[in-house]
């Protein structure tokens, strides 16, 4: 696995710096949420009750308990969206697999997250899309009057999901080995790709002093390889991290140097070993249908359609 080009890597770092500068107070200190029983102890039965429990659990991890949010399972004949939306964002993001709105703003009653029944069969897609939905809710709830969310909002939401602590879940959803008519392929339910997400997760962990070793143990091989490379990059750029923590605006404006980690030969050999392991494990895990997984990718609205805040996300 290779990280993006230097130009793209710098763009990810700058954008993350902008978000950290804008939302640091609202985000507070978030845990690095892992896809294991410590963070998700409830038994998942792929039903409405399980969906509600996992949503509550993720809402708590994100520090958003004070925002009324409920999740419901929808089918192809689900009832139409509520007509009393107050933010202008009630019809989006939508699920391509159902054609129904993903999020509905019920005004004072809070938010509804509508989850297609098919998504319950794919825990990785489910948790990734819940993370992205919670990120969008966070963005709208903390939005100042007249403020526009940085476009593309899909990208902003993905990075905010990382900042809320859901980085490992996002990494899993960014690279799903799936079946298709032409053989095994890779699908994704994130907007930005695996390498870009890995950089953001490594930034989050380094800035908030989270050890990545537990996350590396939980991730699939390809995701683990990407995050390891991103971690090496952060270790080689201590000055960048110190500046980002103290003066994110300076980093957001691009005033930083990006040092390459380690030697070319050692990094190339390590990536080659990890690539072989990754390919073998990915082949063994090719159990999902490509078209079905890609249909679960939700689309966020343009920045101009997001509304004013009602509640604040808790710290």
């Amino acid at each position: 696995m290779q990280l993006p080009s230097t130009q793209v890597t710098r763009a990810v770092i700058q954008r993350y710096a902008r978000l950290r500068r804008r939302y640091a107070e609202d985000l507070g200190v978030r845990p690095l949420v892992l896809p294991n029983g410590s963070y998700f102890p409830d038994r998942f039965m792929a039903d409405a009750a399980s969906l509600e429990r996992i949503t509550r659990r993720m809402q708590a991890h994100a520090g958003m308990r004070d925002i009324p949010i409920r999740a419901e399972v929808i089918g192809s004949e689900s009832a139409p969206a509520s007509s009393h939306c107050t933010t202008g964002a009630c019809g989006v993001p939508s699920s391509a697999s159902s054609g129904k709105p993903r999020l509905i703003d019920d005004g004072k009653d809070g938010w509804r997250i509508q989850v297609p029944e098919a998504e319950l069969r794919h825990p990785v897609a489910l948790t990734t899309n819940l993370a992205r939905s919670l990120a969008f809710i966070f963005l709208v709830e903390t939005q100042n009057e007249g403020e526009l969310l940085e476009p593309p909002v899909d990208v902003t939401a993905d990075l905010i999901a990382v900042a809320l602590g859901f980085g490992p879940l996002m990494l899993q959803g960014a690279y799903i080995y799936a079946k298709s008519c032409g053989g095994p392929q890779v699908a994704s339910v994130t907007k930005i790709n695996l390498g870009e997400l890995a950089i953001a997760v490594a930034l989050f962990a380094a800035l908030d002093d989270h050890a990545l070793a537990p996350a590396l143990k939980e991730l699939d091989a390809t995701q683990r390889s990407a995050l390891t490379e991103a971690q090496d990059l952060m270790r080689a750029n201590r000055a960048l991290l110190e500046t980002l923590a103290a003066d994110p605006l300076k980093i957001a404006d691009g005033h930083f140097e990006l040092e390459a980690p380690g030697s070319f030969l050692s990094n190339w050999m390590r990536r080659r070993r990890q690539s072989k392991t990754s390919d073998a494990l990915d082949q063994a895990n090719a159990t999902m249908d490509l078209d079905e997984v890609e249909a679960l990718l939700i689309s966020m609205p343009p920045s101009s359609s997001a509304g004013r805040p009602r509640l604040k996300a808790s710290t």
Side-chain angles (χ1 to χ4, degrees):
M1 176 68 200
Q2 291 186 342
L3 295 182
S5 67
T6 300
Q7 182 179 5
V8 174
T9 297
R10 289 181 63 89
V12 172
I13 294 172
Q14 288 179 248
R15 187 162 183 140
Y16 192 84
R18 291 196 296 273
L19 293 178
R20 183 176 175 87
R21 179 174 182 266
R22 165 62 181 85
Y23 296 105
E25 183 178 349
D26 294 302
L27 288 166
V29 179
R30 304 267 58 83
L32 184 66
V33 179
L34 305 179
N36 61 25
S38 296
Y39 289 90
F40 298 96
D42 306 306
R43 187 177 181 184
F44 188 75
M45 302 296 293
D47 57 12
S50 296
L51 172 63
E52 188 68 23
R53 285 193 295 269
I54 199 170
T55 302
R56 289 278 180 270
R57 185 75 60 180
M58 292 180 67
Q59 188 178 350
H61 292 325
M64 297 169 61
R65 286 177 175 171
D66 59 340
I67 300 175
I69 301 172
R70 60 191 178 95
E72 59 183 25
V73 181
I74 61 171
S76 58
E77 300 301 321
S78 178
S82 169
S83 61
H84 51 277
C85 168
T86 61
T87 69
C90 59
V92 285
S94 65
S95 167
S97 62
S98 69
K100 303 296 182 180
R102 169 71 57 160
L103 282 175
I104 297 176
D105 186 343
D106 283 328
K108 293 182 179 180
D109 293 330
W111 295 83
R112 266 187 291 155
I113 302 177
Q114 297 196 130
V115 177
E117 186 176 5
E119 194 167 298
L120 298 180
R121 301 195 298 271
H122 303 299
V124 170
L126 173 64
T127 53
T128 303
N129 276 332
L130 284 176
R132 299 181 76 235
S133 295
L134 289 172
F136 178 75
I137 292 172
F138 172 89
L139 287 168
V140 173
E141 292 288 346
T142 57
Q143 191 176 15
N144 295 322
E145 185 173 0
E147 179 185 18
L148 295 182
L149 305 181
E150 182 174 358
V153 177
D154 286 287
V155 173
T156 300
D158 279 5
L159 292 175
I160 284 294
V162 171
L164 288 171
F166 297 130
L169 306 183
M170 297 291 290
L171 288 172
Q172 292 290 77
Y175 192 97
I176 302 173
Y177 213 64
K179 297 184 296 183
S180 71
C181 295
Q185 295 187 33
V186 174
S188 174
V189 289
T190 63
K191 187 65 175 181
I192 61 179
N193 65 36
L194 177 60
E196 294 163 356
L197 277 171
I199 294 166
V201 176
L203 278 171
F204 169 82
L207 291 169
D208 290 356
D209 200 25
H210 291 296
L212 282 178
L216 292 171
K217 291 179 180 178
E218 298 290 343
L219 294 173
D220 291 340
T222 301
Q223 288 87 334
R224 185 166 60 249
S225 174
L227 187 55
T228 298
E229 288 190 42
Q231 182 182 41
D232 290 343
L233 181 65
M234 294 305 112
R235 286 172 173 168
N237 288 274
R238 299 295 187 185
L240 164 65
L241 294 172
E242 291 173 2
T243 304
L244 179 51
D247 186 7
L249 180 59
K250 184 175 182 179
I251 302 300
D253 288 340
H255 300 304
F256 64 94
E257 298 295 329
L258 196 60
E259 301 293 336
S263 71
F264 171 81
L265 180 60
S266 62
N267 287 335
W268 180 82
M269 292 181 67
R270 175 175 53 79
R271 286 197 299 266
R272 184 175 176 83
R273 290 193 300 269
Q274 290 175 334
S275 178
K276 289 181 178 180
T277 303
S278 171
D279 290 344
L281 290 178
D282 285 340
Q283 289 285 353
N285 291 327
T287 59
M288 302 174 72
D289 180 79
L290 179 64
D291 292 336
E292 186 174 10
V293 174
E294 289 183 334
L296 298 178
L297 173 62
I298 62 176
S299 298
M300 300 294 173
S303 59
S304 60
S305 68
R308 296 174 57 184
R310 288 189 314 278
L311 302 170
K312 284 285 186 179
S314 65
T315 57

